[in-house]
Amino acid sequence: AQSVAQPEDQVNVAEGNPLTVKCTYSVSGNPYLFWYVQYPNRGLQFLLKYITGDNLVKGSYGFEAEFNKSQTSFHLKKPSALVSDSALYFCAVRDRGGNNRLAFGKGNQVVVIP
Amino acid sequence: EAGVVQSPRYKIIEKKQPVAFWCNPISGHNTLYWYRQNLGQGPELLIRYENEEAVDDSQLPKDRFSAERLKGVDSTLKIQPAELGDSAVYLCASSLSTPNNEQFFGPGTRLTVL
């Protein structure tokens, strides 16, 4: 079965500094990969996805992620963090040839310090 | 475009009582999902519908949980009777049918069982 690991519970970064949220995945086949963000008392919002093609994917709000097949990683990045980026970030994976189920990581709390 | 609508937003009940959650997906989305999100965890799939058919309900605790999606649009998730361990946020999501499409989430129902 597919799974996701988000190794850090919380990521602290100063406003204006680069932000990275780490994600590694496990699937038996080829993956579809997603990043979602969750603000307090709100549902998850889609940020970006990797389906095929270019390993660098650009998404909403200036976020991007790089698919690395050899390291089975899909880290989320933003060149310059904003205070408003403080939220809970979830990585998710779907196995293309599997049960069509989306498996989420436990999430990373990002705190951007003014 | 209207998003996924869920009600109620919050529900507090005593154990052994029944509870129901309602979801209205984005218009045109054939696929509907119910997830449970425990505190500090990512969402976990309970059931997935393709139109009115439940195509993945293997993770739904069928002794106390039931769901329906009459006419392939709105859906209701029911718990009867509720247990203390059912306290969680119940999220509804919808998407187009192909597996590489992102899911759109509602704000969730926060259930507290006393």
Side-chain angles (χ1 to χ4, degrees):
Chain A
Q2 59 270 40
S3 65
V4 168
Q6 294 182 248
E8 301 161 312
D9 288 334
Q10 182 164 311
V11 175
N12 296 323
V13 61
E15 185 177 23
N17 281 4
L19 169 63
T20 298
V21 188
K22 296 180 180 177
C23 170
T24 58
Y25 66 89
S26 174
V27 294
S28 57
N30 291 313
Y32 295 127
L33 292 156
F34 302 82
W35 276 101
Y36 287 84
V37 61
Q38 188 174 33
Y39 297 99
N41 298 316
R42 297 179 65 178
L44 280 71
Q45 296 178 30
F46 169 75
L47 278 179
L48 51 79
K49 65 182 178 182
Y50 171 80
I51 302 302
T52 188
D54 194 349
N55 289 343
L56 184 63
V57 179
K58 295 187 182 296
S60 306
Y61 312 121
F63 284 94
E64 59 188 30
E66 185 165 12
F67 170 62
N68 187 317
K69 187 172 184 178
S70 63
Q71 297 185 6
T72 61
S73 68
F74 190 55
H75 301 331
L76 182 70
K77 299 181 181 182
K78 186 172 184 179
S80 179
L82 302 173
V83 173
S84 58
D85 293 328
S86 298
L88 194 55
Y89 290 80
F90 291 94
C91 182
V93 65
R94 202 172 208 169
D95 189 338
R96 294 185 190 218
N99 57 20
N100 213 18
R101 195 176 293 165
L102 191 60
F104 287 85
K106 65 177 176 59
N108 284 126
Q109 183 68 49
V110 169
V111 177
V112 182
I113 303 164
Chain B
E1 176 183 273
V4 176
V5 179
Q6 290 188 248
S7 69
R9 292 293 312 275
Y10 304 92
K11 190 73 176 179
I12 301 174
I13 60 172
E14 294 187 346
K15 63 181 180 181
K16 302 185 180 180
Q17 294 300 306
V19 64
F21 314 123
W22 176 81
C23 173
N24 181 248
I26 291 173
S27 178
H29 282 189
N30 295 333
T31 309
L32 183 146
Y33 314 78
W34 283 102
Y35 288 90
R36 177 167 57 191
Q37 185 177 17
N38 292 313
L39 188 64
Q41 300 296 319
E44 294 180 336
L45 182 71
L46 291 173
I47 189 168
R48 174 169 64 96
Y49 282 93
E50 294 290 343
N51 298 304
E52 64 274 11
E53 181 182 1
V55 296
D56 185 355
D57 64 355
S58 59
Q59 300 187 117
L60 187 73
K62 297 182 183 64
D63 57 335
R64 298 184 299 107
F65 286 65
S66 64
E68 61 183 10
R69 192 184 184 196
L70 301 176
K71 301 180 181 179
V73 180
D74 295 3
S75 178
T76 302
L77 178 69
K78 299 179 181 178
I79 308 175
Q80 182 171 10
E83 297 179 351
L84 295 177
D86 296 332
S87 295
V89 176
Y90 291 84
L91 295 166
C92 179
S94 69
S95 72
L96 297 172
S97 296
T98 50
N100 63 356
N101 280 293
E102 60 270 27
Q103 298 176 20
F104 293 82
F105 285 79
T109 298
R110 182 176 297 276
L111 174 66
T112 301
V113 182
L114 302 176

PDB file of all heavy atoms in Angstrom, chain A residues 92-112:
ATOM      1  N   ALA A  92       0.622  14.053  -0.209  1.00  0.00           N
ATOM      2  CA  ALA A  92      -0.227  12.884  -0.459  1.00  0.00           C
ATOM      3  C   ALA A  92       0.230  12.174  -1.721  1.00  0.00           C
ATOM      4  O   ALA A  92       0.727  12.812  -2.653  1.00  0.00           O
ATOM      5  CB  ALA A  92      -1.692  13.297  -0.579  1.00  0.00           C
ATOM      6  N   VAL A  93       0.033  10.859  -1.747  1.00  0.00           N
ATOM      7  CA  VAL A  93       0.452  10.061  -2.899  1.00  0.00           C
ATOM      8  C   VAL A  93      -0.653   9.099  -3.307  1.00  0.00           C
ATOM      9  O   VAL A  93      -1.400   8.583  -2.481  1.00  0.00           O
ATOM     10  CB  VAL A  93       1.747   9.267  -2.577  1.00  0.00           C
ATOM     11  CG1 VAL A  93       1.507   8.219  -1.493  1.00  0.00           C
ATOM     12  CG2 VAL A  93       2.311   8.618  -3.828  1.00  0.00           C
ATOM     13  N   ARG A  94      -0.735   8.887  -4.614  1.00  0.00           N
ATOM     14  CA  ARG A  94      -1.673   7.923  -5.167  1.00  0.00           C
ATOM     15  C   ARG A  94      -0.896   7.005  -6.093  1.00  0.00           C
ATOM     16  O   ARG A  94      -0.110   7.471  -6.908  1.00  0.00           O
ATOM     17  CB  ARG A  94      -2.752   8.675  -5.952  1.00  0.00           C
ATOM     18  CG  ARG A  94      -4.048   7.958  -6.154  1.00  0.00           C
ATOM     19  CD  ARG A  94      -5.034   8.914  -6.771  1.00  0.00           C
ATOM     20  NE  ARG A  94      -6.398   8.600  -6.429  1.00  0.00           N
ATOM     21  CZ  ARG A  94      -7.426   9.396  -6.666  1.00  0.00           C
ATOM     22  NH1 ARG A  94      -7.238  10.577  -7.235  1.00  0.00           N
ATOM     23  NH2 ARG A  94      -8.642   9.034  -6.340  1.00  0.00           N
ATOM     24  N   ASP A  95      -1.092   5.702  -5.953  1.00  0.00           N
ATOM     25  CA  ASP A  95      -0.404   4.732  -6.785  1.00  0.00           C
ATOM     26  C   ASP A  95      -1.164   4.605  -8.109  1.00  0.00           C
ATOM     27  O   ASP A  95      -2.340   4.252  -8.115  1.00  0.00           O
ATOM     28  CB  ASP A  95      -0.364   3.378  -6.064  1.00  0.00           C
ATOM     29  CG  ASP A  95       0.531   2.379  -6.770  1.00  0.00           C
ATOM     30  OD1 ASP A  95       0.789   2.552  -7.976  1.00  0.00           O
ATOM     31  OD2 ASP A  95       0.970   1.426  -6.117  1.00  0.00           O
ATOM     32  N   ARG A  96      -0.503   4.870  -9.222  1.00  0.00           N
ATOM     33  CA  ARG A  96      -1.182   4.847 -10.522  1.00  0.00           C
ATOM     34  C   ARG A  96      -1.816   3.498 -10.813  1.00  0.00           C
ATOM     35  O   ARG A  96      -2.884   3.418 -11.405  1.00  0.00           O
ATOM     36  CB  ARG A  96      -0.188   5.146 -11.639  1.00  0.00           C
ATOM     37  CG  ARG A  96       0.352   6.523 -11.598  1.00  0.00           C
ATOM     38  CD  ARG A  96       1.223   6.790 -12.797  1.00  0.00           C
ATOM     39  NE  ARG A  96       1.933   8.043 -12.641  1.00  0.00           N
ATOM     40  CZ  ARG A  96       2.165   8.882 -13.625  1.00  0.00           C
ATOM     41  NH1 ARG A  96       1.764   8.602 -14.832  1.00  0.00           N
ATOM     42  NH2 ARG A  96       2.805   9.994 -13.406  1.00  0.00           N
ATOM     43  N   GLY A  97      -1.142   2.437 -10.434  1.00  0.00           N
ATOM     44  CA  GLY A  97      -1.677   1.121 -10.768  1.00  0.00           C
ATOM     45  C   GLY A  97      -2.332   0.412  -9.617  1.00  0.00           C
ATOM     46  O   GLY A  97      -2.636  -0.782  -9.704  1.00  0.00           O
ATOM     47  N   GLY A  98      -2.563   1.141  -8.547  1.00  0.00           N
ATOM     48  CA  GLY A  98      -3.052   0.495  -7.327  1.00  0.00           C
ATOM     49  C   GLY A  98      -4.517   0.698  -7.078  1.00  0.00           C
ATOM     50  O   GLY A  98      -5.336   0.702  -7.985  1.00  0.00           O
ATOM     51  N   ASN A  99      -4.864   0.925  -5.818  1.00  0.00           N
ATOM     52  CA  ASN A  99      -6.259   0.969  -5.411  1.00  0.00           C
ATOM     53  C   ASN A  99      -6.912   2.329  -5.584  1.00  0.00           C
ATOM     54  O   ASN A  99      -8.026   2.535  -5.146  1.00  0.00           O
ATOM     55  CB  ASN A  99      -6.392   0.522  -3.950  1.00  0.00           C
ATOM     56  CG  ASN A  99      -5.553   1.370  -3.007  1.00  0.00           C
ATOM     57  OD1 ASN A  99      -5.166   2.480  -3.348  1.00  0.00           O
ATOM     58  ND2 ASN A  99      -5.280   0.849  -1.837  1.00  0.00           N
ATOM     59  N   ASN A 100      -6.210   3.254  -6.231  1.00  0.00           N
ATOM     60  CA  ASN A 100      -6.774   4.579  -6.508  1.00  0.00           C
ATOM     61  C   ASN A 100      -7.041   5.385  -5.245  1.00  0.00           C
ATOM     62  O   ASN A 100      -7.816   6.336  -5.277  1.00  0.00           O
ATOM     63  CB  ASN A 100      -8.071   4.435  -7.323  1.00  0.00           C
ATOM     64  CG  ASN A 100      -8.265   5.579  -8.282  1.00  0.00           C
ATOM     65  OD1 ASN A 100      -7.326   6.297  -8.598  1.00  0.00           O
ATOM     66  ND2 ASN A 100      -9.485   5.751  -8.733  1.00  0.00           N
ATOM     67  N   ARG A 101      -6.432   4.991  -4.141  1.00  0.00           N
ATOM     68  CA  ARG A 101      -6.646   5.654  -2.871  1.00  0.00           C
ATOM     69  C   ARG A 101      -5.542   6.683  -2.642  1.00  0.00           C
ATOM     70  O   ARG A 101      -4.366   6.435  -2.908  1.00  0.00           O
ATOM     71  CB  ARG A 101      -6.647   4.605  -1.760  1.00  0.00           C
ATOM     72  CG  ARG A 101      -7.198   5.046  -0.432  1.00  0.00           C
ATOM     73  CD  ARG A 101      -7.205   3.862   0.504  1.00  0.00           C
ATOM     74  NE  ARG A 101      -8.163   2.839   0.083  1.00  0.00           N
ATOM     75  CZ  ARG A 101      -8.158   1.601   0.548  1.00  0.00           C
ATOM     76  NH1 ARG A 101      -7.251   1.218   1.423  1.00  0.00           N
ATOM     77  NH2 ARG A 101      -9.067   0.724   0.137  1.00  0.00           N
ATOM     78  N   LEU A 102      -5.911   7.851  -2.102  1.00  0.00           N
ATOM     79  CA  LEU A 102      -4.947   8.907  -1.812  1.00  0.00           C
ATOM     80  C   LEU A 102      -4.498   8.747  -0.361  1.00  0.00           C
ATOM     81  O   LEU A 102      -5.333   8.794   0.552  1.00  0.00           O
ATOM     82  CB  LEU A 102      -5.597  10.274  -2.034  1.00  0.00           C
ATOM     83  CG  LEU A 102      -4.694  11.497  -2.041  1.00  0.00           C
ATOM     84  CD1 LEU A 102      -3.656  11.421  -3.136  1.00  0.00           C
ATOM     85  CD2 LEU A 102      -5.544  12.760  -2.199  1.00  0.00           C
ATOM     86  N   ALA A 103      -3.194   8.548  -0.167  1.00  0.00           N
ATOM     87  CA  ALA A 103      -2.642   8.398   1.180  1.00  0.00           C
ATOM     88  C   ALA A 103      -1.954   9.695   1.588  1.00  0.00           C
ATOM     89  O   ALA A 103      -1.100  10.199   0.849  1.00  0.00           O
ATOM     90  CB  ALA A 103      -1.656   7.243   1.223  1.00  0.00           C
ATOM     91  N   PHE A 104      -2.312  10.216   2.743  1.00  0.00           N
ATOM     92  CA  PHE A 104      -1.761  11.468   3.248  1.00  0.00           C
ATOM     93  C   PHE A 104      -0.694  11.212   4.296  1.00  0.00           C
ATOM     94  O   PHE A 104      -0.761  10.241   5.052  1.00  0.00           O
ATOM     95  CB  PHE A 104      -2.870  12.311   3.902  1.00  0.00           C
ATOM     96  CG  PHE A 104      -3.820  12.944   2.935  1.00  0.00           C
ATOM     97  CD1 PHE A 104      -4.916  12.249   2.450  1.00  0.00           C
ATOM     98  CD2 PHE A 104      -3.623  14.251   2.501  1.00  0.00           C
ATOM     99  CE1 PHE A 104      -5.797  12.821   1.563  1.00  0.00           C
ATOM    100  CE2 PHE A 104      -4.502  14.847   1.611  1.00  0.00           C
ATOM    101  CZ  PHE A 104      -5.586  14.133   1.138  1.00  0.00           C
ATOM    102  N   GLY A 105       0.279  12.134   4.358  1.00  0.00           N
ATOM    103  CA  GLY A 105       1.193  12.165   5.479  1.00  0.00           C
ATOM    104  C   GLY A 105       0.512  12.777   6.693  1.00  0.00           C
ATOM    105  O   GLY A 105      -0.640  13.221   6.622  1.00  0.00           O
ATOM    106  N   LYS A 106       1.231  12.822   7.803  1.00  0.00           N
ATOM    107  CA  LYS A 106       0.639  13.347   9.038  1.00  0.00           C
ATOM    108  C   LYS A 106       0.595  14.861   9.088  1.00  0.00           C
ATOM    109  O   LYS A 106      -0.034  15.440   9.966  1.00  0.00           O
ATOM    110  CB  LYS A 106       1.399  12.815  10.247  1.00  0.00           C
ATOM    111  CG  LYS A 106       2.846  13.289  10.333  1.00  0.00           C
ATOM    112  CD  LYS A 106       3.500  12.766  11.598  1.00  0.00           C
ATOM    113  CE  LYS A 106       4.973  13.136  11.671  1.00  0.00           C
ATOM    114  NZ  LYS A 106       5.225  14.571  11.626  1.00  0.00           N
ATOM    115  N   GLY A 107       1.288  15.504   8.145  1.00  0.00           N
ATOM    116  CA  GLY A 107       1.257  16.946   8.083  1.00  0.00           C
ATOM    117  C   GLY A 107       2.439  17.602   8.778  1.00  0.00           C
ATOM    118  O   GLY A 107       3.040  17.038   9.697  1.00  0.00           O
ATOM    119  N   ASN A 108       2.789  18.774   8.296  1.00  0.00           N
ATOM    120  CA  ASN A 108       3.837  19.589   8.904  1.00  0.00           C
ATOM    121  C   ASN A 108       3.264  20.960   9.240  1.00  0.00           C
ATOM    122  O   ASN A 108       2.700  21.616   8.354  1.00  0.00           O
ATOM    123  CB  ASN A 108       5.019  19.792   7.956  1.00  0.00           C
ATOM    124  CG  ASN A 108       5.889  18.581   7.845  1.00  0.00           C
ATOM    125  OD1 ASN A 108       6.144  18.091   6.772  1.00  0.00           O
ATOM    126  ND2 ASN A 108       6.353  18.093   8.983  1.00  0.00           N
ATOM    127  N   GLN A 109       3.432  21.389  10.472  1.00  0.00           N
ATOM    128  CA  GLN A 109       3.039  22.748  10.843  1.00  0.00           C
ATOM    129  C   GLN A 109       4.166  23.695  10.446  1.00  0.00           C
ATOM    130  O   GLN A 109       5.308  23.513  10.865  1.00  0.00           O
ATOM    131  CB  GLN A 109       2.786  22.843  12.340  1.00  0.00           C
ATOM    132  CG  GLN A 109       2.310  24.208  12.782  1.00  0.00           C
ATOM    133  CD  GLN A 109       0.916  24.521  12.265  1.00  0.00           C
ATOM    134  OE1 GLN A 109       0.000  23.732  12.375  1.00  0.00           O
ATOM    135  NE2 GLN A 109       0.761  25.702  11.673  1.00  0.00           N
ATOM    136  N   VAL A 110       3.855  24.670   9.629  1.00  0.00           N
ATOM    137  CA  VAL A 110       4.825  25.684   9.234  1.00  0.00           C
ATOM    138  C   VAL A 110       4.522  26.968  10.003  1.00  0.00           C
ATOM    139  O   VAL A 110       3.374  27.436  10.000  1.00  0.00           O
ATOM    140  CB  VAL A 110       4.770  25.940   7.717  1.00  0.00           C
ATOM    141  CG1 VAL A 110       5.595  27.176   7.353  1.00  0.00           C
ATOM    142  CG2 VAL A 110       5.281  24.725   6.960  1.00  0.00           C
ATOM    143  N   VAL A 111       5.538  27.499  10.657  1.00  0.00           N
ATOM    144  CA  VAL A 111       5.408  28.758  11.380  1.00  0.00           C
ATOM    145  C   VAL A 111       6.396  29.746  10.770  1.00  0.00           C
ATOM    146  O   VAL A 111       7.608  29.509  10.794  1.00  0.00           O
ATOM    147  CB  VAL A 111       5.695  28.576  12.875  1.00  0.00           C
ATOM    148  CG1 VAL A 111       5.626  29.918  13.594  1.00  0.00           C
ATOM    149  CG2 VAL A 111       4.724  27.588  13.495  1.00  0.00           C
ATOM    150  N   VAL A 112       5.868  30.809  10.200  1.00  0.00           N
ATOM    151  CA  VAL A 112       6.706  31.858   9.619  1.00  0.00           C
ATOM    152  C   VAL A 112       6.781  32.996  10.622  1.00  0.00           C
ATOM    153  O   VAL A 112       5.751  33.597  10.976  1.00  0.00           O
ATOM    154  CB  VAL A 112       6.164  32.341   8.275  1.00  0.00           C
ATOM    155  CG1 VAL A 112       7.093  33.404   7.689  1.00  0.00           C
ATOM    156  CG2 VAL A 112       6.013  31.157   7.309  1.00  0.00           C
TER     157      VAL A 112
END
